[in-house]
Amino acid sequence: LGVIGPGAILASAGLAGCDHKKYATNKENIEFLLEGISPDSKDRILTAEGFNWELLIQYEDKLNSEDSFGFNNDFTAFFPDANDSESGLLWVNHEYVDVKFVSGRKRNEEPTKDHADKEMYNVGGSFIRIKRIDGKWTFIRDDEYNRRYTANTRFELLWDEKIADKSEAFGTLANCAGGKTPWGTLLTCEENYHDAFGERNWEDGSIIPGRYNWQKFYDRPPEHYGWVVEIDPETGIGHKLIALGRCAHECATVHQLKDGRVVVYSGDDKTDECIYKFVSSEANSLKHGTLYVANLEEKKWISLSIDDQPILKEKFSSQTEIQVRLREAAHLVGGTACDRPEDIEIDPITGHVFIALTNNKPKDNYFGSILKIMESNNEHDSLEFEWETFRTGGLESGFACPDNLAFDNSGNLWITSDISGSALNKEPYKEFGNNGLFVVPRFGLRAGEVIQIASAPVDAEFTGPSFDKEQNALFLSVQHPGEGSSEDLSELTSHWPSGKGLPRPSVIVISGKGLEYLTHINLPE
Ligand code: FEO
Ligand code: CA
Ligand code: CA
Ligand code: CA
């Protein structure tokens, strides 16, 4: 199987001027010619030959008479109907708001309550009904399952003790990536939560305010954010999973063990923060279990249970306090400081765990890498592992700052890049152009290469790639187009998607014979 070999790290399309025309990808040397695109810096979505895109939904589209689609969409996850894979619910995260577009205030201007309310409405997530009509995925307005989750939605705090004296929290926010469980629920991850209601100063108990200043009108404890949130698409009800710990969770990637217990991998996306793994103690539940942090030097998962670690018992009064102050606990027990762990995916063919390490600018790592963890005996609850770097970002590999990852059923790895908007098209990122969507084909003559499939509009990043059930469509968020526009909106850097007026974060659907070819390629015997 593992056809992705070291010799395959050739220059990617465009960057080194390499001519890849007429490279057949299929092992029988027939079928689709997989040509990538060269980096692009125009205000448009450019796709490779064999791929096309269509708009599914955009910011402020009405879901029904009361609700509208939120801002800066990220993670997507498709939940097909049980008896009809051409209809289902698409979950979409709304990570954060750009106040100049959402409430009209300046970034350093104190919010009014109206500003805060508008901003708090447009974070969280959306469930939207979509159906394939005449071959095209279409958003269905007014469906009873269209639902918004905002910074005001109530969530139970799933834990045996209260968190900041409460067993319920208001709102989910900073929802970056996520995951799905084998029992059909959604996981959405609260990443840069400190921007909203700040963070506790553990020395004196005071609150370090968040940059949005919503705390001016809403008294919410910072301890209620920074969790993985589980939502049932059927009932719409959700809860926060305290057992998975509190940090800038990028994602929550689930693997089910043979006995029904589950393992969840998650990264803390902050410079020099850690990679975590949770192993549940009960089947089909994320309420109880053990949380571990990765020590890459010793190639071990280190327990964060108070009963296993005298040093944690000395510093913290309870397991609850460890869950809340996870970062401190992780470093105390020897968790490895990583280069901003972003999305995590499990290779469907080998079971290896792929982790995007986006960059570490203070350490002069501008392009990031993808880490591969191989659990001992390929058992996901193992406490020992080997690791290697799968790909290093840079001009030779053709991508920089990997963020989201997705494997399709054929084992091709899809990557989106997150070069920050202010750094795009400037050194050292100039030659990468705008952010993009890339694929690393599993098989064929270009196996192992990083091939760019799509280029994002000005200032934007592609986020949240996921597939429909048949894998003939790839859902993709287009986040923060035109974020470099002037605060008074008199100068707009992007007009995407309409080509005129304000730019709007949107979800698109990528399809075409190129996608179908890649996702349906037969595995070698
Ligand atoms: Fe929201 Fe770590 O990207
Ligand atoms: Ca990112
Ligand atoms: Ca991300
Ligand atoms: Ca992913």
PDB file of all heavy atoms in Angstrom, residues 15 109 111 170 182 188 202 234 236 250-251 309 316 333 360 389 418 440 482 496 499 519:
ATOM      1  N   LEU A  15       5.498  26.317  -8.901  1.00  0.00           N
ATOM      2  CA  LEU A  15       6.510  27.012  -8.115  1.00  0.00           C
ATOM      3  C   LEU A  15       7.894  26.900  -8.729  1.00  0.00           C
ATOM      4  O   LEU A  15       8.643  27.850  -8.738  1.00  0.00           O
ATOM      5  CB  LEU A  15       6.513  26.476  -6.686  1.00  0.00           C
ATOM      6  CG  LEU A  15       5.333  26.974  -5.869  1.00  0.00           C
ATOM      7  CD1 LEU A  15       5.236  26.230  -4.566  1.00  0.00           C
ATOM      8  CD2 LEU A  15       5.442  28.470  -5.622  1.00  0.00           C
ATOM      9  N   GLU A 109     -12.532  50.635  18.856  1.00  0.00           N
ATOM     10  CA  GLU A 109     -13.646  51.415  19.382  1.00  0.00           C
ATOM     11  C   GLU A 109     -14.422  50.541  20.377  1.00  0.00           C
ATOM     12  O   GLU A 109     -14.671  49.370  20.109  1.00  0.00           O
ATOM     13  CB  GLU A 109     -14.542  51.797  18.194  1.00  0.00           C
ATOM     14  CG  GLU A 109     -15.738  52.633  18.494  1.00  0.00           C
ATOM     15  CD  GLU A 109     -16.637  52.758  17.241  1.00  0.00           C
ATOM     16  OE1 GLU A 109     -16.165  52.452  16.119  1.00  0.00           O
ATOM     17  OE2 GLU A 109     -17.796  53.137  17.411  1.00  0.00           O
ATOM     18  N   PRO A 111     -17.378  48.743  22.082  1.00  0.00           N
ATOM     19  CA  PRO A 111     -18.664  48.371  21.482  1.00  0.00           C
ATOM     20  C   PRO A 111     -19.845  48.983  22.235  1.00  0.00           C
ATOM     21  O   PRO A 111     -19.780  49.185  23.447  1.00  0.00           O
ATOM     22  CB  PRO A 111     -18.685  46.845  21.643  1.00  0.00           C
ATOM     23  CG  PRO A 111     -17.835  46.581  22.850  1.00  0.00           C
ATOM     24  CD  PRO A 111     -16.783  47.665  22.863  1.00  0.00           C
ATOM     25  N   PHE A 170     -23.362  29.821  28.675  1.00  0.00           N
ATOM     26  CA  PHE A 170     -24.013  30.547  27.585  1.00  0.00           C
ATOM     27  C   PHE A 170     -23.057  30.661  26.410  1.00  0.00           C
ATOM     28  O   PHE A 170     -22.018  31.308  26.505  1.00  0.00           O
ATOM     29  CB  PHE A 170     -24.396  31.966  28.036  1.00  0.00           C
ATOM     30  CG  PHE A 170     -25.630  32.013  28.857  1.00  0.00           C
ATOM     31  CD1 PHE A 170     -25.552  32.116  30.242  1.00  0.00           C
ATOM     32  CD2 PHE A 170     -26.876  31.954  28.249  1.00  0.00           C
ATOM     33  CE1 PHE A 170     -26.704  32.171  31.006  1.00  0.00           C
ATOM     34  CE2 PHE A 170     -28.024  32.008  29.016  1.00  0.00           C
ATOM     35  CZ  PHE A 170     -27.944  32.108  30.395  1.00  0.00           C
ATOM     36  N   PRO A 182     -18.686   8.386  16.090  1.00  0.00           N
ATOM     37  CA  PRO A 182     -19.292   7.216  15.429  1.00  0.00           C
ATOM     38  C   PRO A 182     -20.784   7.101  15.725  1.00  0.00           C
ATOM     39  O   PRO A 182     -21.499   6.398  15.028  1.00  0.00           O
ATOM     40  CB  PRO A 182     -18.535   6.022  16.038  1.00  0.00           C
ATOM     41  CG  PRO A 182     -17.321   6.583  16.686  1.00  0.00           C
ATOM     42  CD  PRO A 182     -17.641   7.999  17.059  1.00  0.00           C
ATOM     43  N   THR A 188     -17.588  20.431  17.771  1.00  0.00           N
ATOM     44  CA  THR A 188     -17.110  21.733  17.299  1.00  0.00           C
ATOM     45  C   THR A 188     -16.182  22.309  18.368  1.00  0.00           C
ATOM     46  O   THR A 188     -16.478  22.223  19.565  1.00  0.00           O
ATOM     47  CB  THR A 188     -18.278  22.677  16.930  1.00  0.00           C
ATOM     48  OG1 THR A 188     -17.737  23.977  16.624  1.00  0.00           O
ATOM     49  CG2 THR A 188     -19.305  22.819  18.033  1.00  0.00           C
ATOM     50  N   TRP A 202      -4.785  33.541  36.915  1.00  0.00           N
ATOM     51  CA  TRP A 202      -4.868  32.546  37.994  1.00  0.00           C
ATOM     52  C   TRP A 202      -4.136  33.005  39.246  1.00  0.00           C
ATOM     53  O   TRP A 202      -4.351  32.455  40.329  1.00  0.00           O
ATOM     54  CB  TRP A 202      -4.334  31.195  37.522  1.00  0.00           C
ATOM     55  CG  TRP A 202      -5.052  30.724  36.303  1.00  0.00           C
ATOM     56  CD1 TRP A 202      -4.565  30.647  35.043  1.00  0.00           C
ATOM     57  CD2 TRP A 202      -6.429  30.316  36.218  1.00  0.00           C
ATOM     58  NE1 TRP A 202      -5.530  30.207  34.168  1.00  0.00           N
ATOM     59  CE2 TRP A 202      -6.686  29.995  34.865  1.00  0.00           C
ATOM     60  CE3 TRP A 202      -7.476  30.181  37.149  1.00  0.00           C
ATOM     61  CZ2 TRP A 202      -7.928  29.564  34.413  1.00  0.00           C
ATOM     62  CZ3 TRP A 202      -8.699  29.735  36.694  1.00  0.00           C
ATOM     63  CH2 TRP A 202      -8.923  29.429  35.358  1.00  0.00           C
ATOM     64  N   GLU A 234     -29.896  15.714  15.387  1.00  0.00           N
ATOM     65  CA  GLU A 234     -31.318  15.377  15.374  1.00  0.00           C
ATOM     66  C   GLU A 234     -32.093  16.255  16.372  1.00  0.00           C
ATOM     67  O   GLU A 234     -33.060  16.903  16.016  1.00  0.00           O
ATOM     68  CB  GLU A 234     -31.475  13.877  15.724  1.00  0.00           C
ATOM     69  CG  GLU A 234     -32.865  13.337  15.584  1.00  0.00           C
ATOM     70  CD  GLU A 234     -33.452  13.493  14.180  1.00  0.00           C
ATOM     71  OE1 GLU A 234     -32.693  13.342  13.192  1.00  0.00           O
ATOM     72  OE2 GLU A 234     -34.661  13.784  14.084  1.00  0.00           O
ATOM     73  N   GLY A 236     -30.682  18.788  18.143  1.00  0.00           N
ATOM     74  CA  GLY A 236     -30.144  20.152  18.182  1.00  0.00           C
ATOM     75  C   GLY A 236     -29.504  20.500  19.510  1.00  0.00           C
ATOM     76  O   GLY A 236     -28.955  21.589  19.678  1.00  0.00           O
ATOM     77  N   GLU A 250      -8.124  23.184  18.299  1.00  0.00           N
ATOM     78  CA  GLU A 250      -8.333  23.331  16.857  1.00  0.00           C
ATOM     79  C   GLU A 250      -9.393  22.341  16.389  1.00  0.00           C
ATOM     80  O   GLU A 250     -10.326  22.699  15.710  1.00  0.00           O
ATOM     81  CB  GLU A 250      -7.020  23.069  16.113  1.00  0.00           C
ATOM     82  CG  GLU A 250      -7.162  22.916  14.612  1.00  0.00           C
ATOM     83  CD  GLU A 250      -7.370  24.225  13.892  1.00  0.00           C
ATOM     84  OE1 GLU A 250      -7.037  25.275  14.479  1.00  0.00           O
ATOM     85  OE2 GLU A 250      -7.865  24.201  12.756  1.00  0.00           O
ATOM     86  N   CYS A 251      -9.208  21.075  16.764  1.00  0.00           N
ATOM     87  CA  CYS A 251     -10.048  20.022  16.186  1.00  0.00           C
ATOM     88  C   CYS A 251     -10.259  18.921  17.210  1.00  0.00           C
ATOM     89  O   CYS A 251      -9.655  18.931  18.289  1.00  0.00           O
ATOM     90  CB  CYS A 251      -9.364  19.424  14.962  1.00  0.00           C
ATOM     91  SG  CYS A 251      -7.884  18.497  15.408  1.00  0.00           S
ATOM     92  N   GLN A 309      -0.081  11.648  38.651  1.00  0.00           N
ATOM     93  CA  GLN A 309       0.992  12.641  38.585  1.00  0.00           C
ATOM     94  C   GLN A 309       1.127  13.430  39.890  1.00  0.00           C
ATOM     95  O   GLN A 309       0.393  14.402  40.100  1.00  0.00           O
ATOM     96  CB  GLN A 309       0.714  13.635  37.435  1.00  0.00           C
ATOM     97  CG  GLN A 309       0.542  12.993  36.074  1.00  0.00           C
ATOM     98  CD  GLN A 309       1.867  12.520  35.485  1.00  0.00           C
ATOM     99  OE1 GLN A 309       2.919  12.621  36.117  1.00  0.00           O
ATOM    100  NE2 GLN A 309       1.823  11.996  34.276  1.00  0.00           N
ATOM    101  N   PHE A 316      -2.357  21.528  41.676  1.00  0.00           N
ATOM    102  CA  PHE A 316      -3.796  21.752  41.468  1.00  0.00           C
ATOM    103  C   PHE A 316      -4.613  21.064  42.555  1.00  0.00           C
ATOM    104  O   PHE A 316      -4.228  20.016  43.067  1.00  0.00           O
ATOM    105  CB  PHE A 316      -4.229  21.239  40.095  1.00  0.00           C
ATOM    106  CG  PHE A 316      -3.503  21.913  38.955  1.00  0.00           C
ATOM    107  CD1 PHE A 316      -2.499  21.254  38.259  1.00  0.00           C
ATOM    108  CD2 PHE A 316      -3.814  23.215  38.586  1.00  0.00           C
ATOM    109  CE1 PHE A 316      -1.827  21.872  37.216  1.00  0.00           C
ATOM    110  CE2 PHE A 316      -3.151  23.845  37.547  1.00  0.00           C
ATOM    111  CZ  PHE A 316      -2.143  23.169  36.858  1.00  0.00           C
ATOM    112  N   VAL A 333       3.946  18.207  33.137  1.00  0.00           N
ATOM    113  CA  VAL A 333       4.245  16.769  33.027  1.00  0.00           C
ATOM    114  C   VAL A 333       5.122  16.436  31.823  1.00  0.00           C
ATOM    115  O   VAL A 333       5.358  15.270  31.519  1.00  0.00           O
ATOM    116  CB  VAL A 333       2.961  15.902  32.999  1.00  0.00           C
ATOM    117  CG1 VAL A 333       2.150  16.100  34.263  1.00  0.00           C
ATOM    118  CG2 VAL A 333       2.116  16.198  31.762  1.00  0.00           C
ATOM    119  N   ASN A 360       5.900  28.367  13.249  1.00  0.00           N
ATOM    120  CA  ASN A 360       6.355  28.833  14.559  1.00  0.00           C
ATOM    121  C   ASN A 360       7.290  30.010  14.292  1.00  0.00           C
ATOM    122  O   ASN A 360       8.500  29.869  14.237  1.00  0.00           O
ATOM    123  CB  ASN A 360       7.078  27.709  15.314  1.00  0.00           C
ATOM    124  CG  ASN A 360       7.288  28.057  16.781  1.00  0.00           C
ATOM    125  OD1 ASN A 360       7.480  29.226  17.124  1.00  0.00           O
ATOM    126  ND2 ASN A 360       7.280  27.048  17.640  1.00  0.00           N
ATOM    127  N   THR A 389       8.366  13.403  10.288  1.00  0.00           N
ATOM    128  CA  THR A 389       7.770  14.515   9.554  1.00  0.00           C
ATOM    129  C   THR A 389       7.336  14.000   8.191  1.00  0.00           C
ATOM    130  O   THR A 389       8.141  13.458   7.441  1.00  0.00           O
ATOM    131  CB  THR A 389       8.779  15.670   9.413  1.00  0.00           C
ATOM    132  OG1 THR A 389       9.056  16.159  10.722  1.00  0.00           O
ATOM    133  CG2 THR A 389       8.217  16.803   8.562  1.00  0.00           C
ATOM    134  N   ASP A 418      -2.964  28.209   5.493  1.00  0.00           N
ATOM    135  CA  ASP A 418      -3.380  29.415   6.225  1.00  0.00           C
ATOM    136  C   ASP A 418      -2.176  30.338   6.414  1.00  0.00           C
ATOM    137  O   ASP A 418      -1.643  30.468   7.515  1.00  0.00           O
ATOM    138  CB  ASP A 418      -3.994  29.022   7.581  1.00  0.00           C
ATOM    139  CG  ASP A 418      -4.375  30.242   8.414  1.00  0.00           C
ATOM    140  OD1 ASP A 418      -4.406  31.358   7.866  1.00  0.00           O
ATOM    141  OD2 ASP A 418      -4.632  30.057   9.621  1.00  0.00           O
ATOM    142  N   VAL A 440      -2.494  15.594  -1.931  1.00  0.00           N
ATOM    143  CA  VAL A 440      -1.346  14.691  -2.066  1.00  0.00           C
ATOM    144  C   VAL A 440      -1.928  13.355  -2.526  1.00  0.00           C
ATOM    145  O   VAL A 440      -2.500  12.610  -1.729  1.00  0.00           O
ATOM    146  CB  VAL A 440      -0.611  14.511  -0.714  1.00  0.00           C
ATOM    147  CG1 VAL A 440       0.626  13.630  -0.903  1.00  0.00           C
ATOM    148  CG2 VAL A 440      -0.227  15.859  -0.120  1.00  0.00           C
ATOM    149  N   GLY A 482     -11.059  39.605   1.804  1.00  0.00           N
ATOM    150  CA  GLY A 482     -11.048  41.064   1.945  1.00  0.00           C
ATOM    151  C   GLY A 482     -10.817  41.573   3.350  1.00  0.00           C
ATOM    152  O   GLY A 482     -11.159  42.719   3.654  1.00  0.00           O
ATOM    153  N   TRP A 496     -15.203  39.455  -3.462  1.00  0.00           N
ATOM    154  CA  TRP A 496     -15.691  38.092  -3.664  1.00  0.00           C
ATOM    155  C   TRP A 496     -16.835  37.797  -2.699  1.00  0.00           C
ATOM    156  O   TRP A 496     -16.760  38.214  -1.549  1.00  0.00           O
ATOM    157  CB  TRP A 496     -14.526  37.102  -3.424  1.00  0.00           C
ATOM    158  CG  TRP A 496     -14.887  35.718  -3.826  1.00  0.00           C
ATOM    159  CD1 TRP A 496     -14.775  35.166  -5.064  1.00  0.00           C
ATOM    160  CD2 TRP A 496     -15.471  34.725  -2.985  1.00  0.00           C
ATOM    161  NE1 TRP A 496     -15.257  33.889  -5.055  1.00  0.00           N
ATOM    162  CE2 TRP A 496     -15.697  33.588  -3.795  1.00  0.00           C
ATOM    163  CE3 TRP A 496     -15.857  34.679  -1.633  1.00  0.00           C
ATOM    164  CZ2 TRP A 496     -16.269  32.420  -3.294  1.00  0.00           C
ATOM    165  CZ3 TRP A 496     -16.430  33.521  -1.137  1.00  0.00           C
ATOM    166  CH2 TRP A 496     -16.636  32.404  -1.975  1.00  0.00           C
ATOM    167  N   GLY A 499     -18.291  39.962  -6.878  1.00  0.00           N
ATOM    168  CA  GLY A 499     -17.544  40.746  -7.861  1.00  0.00           C
ATOM    169  C   GLY A 499     -17.760  42.238  -7.702  1.00  0.00           C
ATOM    170  O   GLY A 499     -17.118  43.052  -8.349  1.00  0.00           O
ATOM    171  N   THR A 519     -11.230  10.486  -5.737  1.00  0.00           N
ATOM    172  CA  THR A 519     -11.900   9.881  -4.579  1.00  0.00           C
ATOM    173  C   THR A 519     -12.408   8.475  -4.865  1.00  0.00           C
ATOM    174  O   THR A 519     -12.762   7.759  -3.934  1.00  0.00           O
ATOM    175  CB  THR A 519     -13.086  10.745  -4.099  1.00  0.00           C
ATOM    176  OG1 THR A 519     -13.991  10.921  -5.193  1.00  0.00           O
ATOM    177  CG2 THR A 519     -12.623  12.092  -3.592  1.00  0.00           C
TER     178      THR A 519
END
